[in-house]
Amino acid sequence: MRTRALVVGSVVLAVVAGFGAYLGSREFGHQLAIPRPRGCTVEADGRVVLNPEQMANAATIAAIGVRRKMPERAVVVALATAFQESKLENLAGGDRDSIGLFQQRPSQGWGTPEQLRDPRYATERFYASLKRVRGWEQMRVTDAAQRVQRSAHPEAYEKWADESAVLTRALLGQATGAVACTVARKPAMRGSVATAALTEGLTADWGKPPLAEVAELTGLAVRAADDQSGWRYAHWLVSHADEHGVKRVRFGALEWRADDGQWSRVKDATSADRLVVAEVFADV
């Protein structure tokens, strides 16, 4: 009986404490810095959730595919391969001497360890190798990937085909407002440093983008040839927002903001100039 009373008393105390914590959070919640989960959601006839590093790497893989004039199918194959080999993360090591996004091996002639740690170099090498595979365009995703990777698990790439197709549709600009990321509250980069890094990354992935001047903008603007190109740039910028301190991305009638990580409509939107505008966090 005494044991039961102790248990009941403990439960009552827990309930009271929990209710007190609830009231405290209601009263003082505005003073508490509750960290937001960082991550990205991609929706384009399907849904994929990635962390910021994965999202940035996926956007780079897609952009380099476009710059190299590779077909959409090649981007799907590349993303599925990176999903399987590294979960889209730039790994410092792996099986034996495997390195990077695609787990390429210096001992097999893919490049030096330093080169293979560069996601852009690794991606370029993958596409170059895929292009040399005769008839890869008609192969299943896993068969095309296997002809490049020579994995001990040749069927493993196919399980990532659907996710890779969703990412490809979004990152190639076939959907609007399809990449939504929640970023860190305190960006690692700000102001002119962030702008310079963002411009450098954009150029490295896409080639020389058609930048435009926008008065009083701390960031950059890209002039898009058409809506699809505009959404390619816009989704790339949001994908790299966490690492480059991007505060706002706007294209056409939609705008993404870092404070809520979502796309929303803007009242004074105009699509006449087809500018993709990215604003970075200002210097403190």
Side-chain angles (χ1 to χ4, degrees), residues 164 208 232:
S164 298
K208 196 170 182 179
R232 287 175 180 175

Short mmCIF file of all heavy atoms in Angstrom, two decimals, residues 164 208 232:
data_model
loop_
_atom_site.label_atom_id
_atom_site.label_comp_id
_atom_site.label_asym_id
_atom_site.label_seq_id
_atom_site.Cartn_x
_atom_site.Cartn_y
_atom_site.Cartn_z
N SER A 164 16.32 10.11 -56.59
CA SER A 164 17.19 10.86 -57.49
C SER A 164 16.39 11.54 -58.60
O SER A 164 16.72 12.65 -59.04
CB SER A 164 18.24 9.94 -58.10
OG SER A 164 19.06 9.39 -57.07
N LYS A 208 30.13 30.61 -66.10
CA LYS A 208 30.03 32.04 -65.83
C LYS A 208 28.56 32.45 -65.93
O LYS A 208 28.04 32.66 -67.02
CB LYS A 208 30.88 32.83 -66.83
CG LYS A 208 31.13 34.26 -66.40
CD LYS A 208 32.15 34.92 -67.30
CE LYS A 208 32.42 36.35 -66.82
NZ LYS A 208 33.43 37.02 -67.67
N ARG A 232 16.31 26.77 -61.85
CA ARG A 232 17.58 26.07 -61.61
C ARG A 232 18.47 26.88 -60.68
O ARG A 232 19.01 26.37 -59.69
CB ARG A 232 18.31 25.83 -62.93
CG ARG A 232 17.70 24.75 -63.81
CD ARG A 232 18.43 24.69 -65.14
NE ARG A 232 17.88 23.67 -66.01
CZ ARG A 232 18.26 23.48 -67.27
NH1 ARG A 232 19.19 24.26 -67.80
NH2 ARG A 232 17.70 22.52 -67.99
#
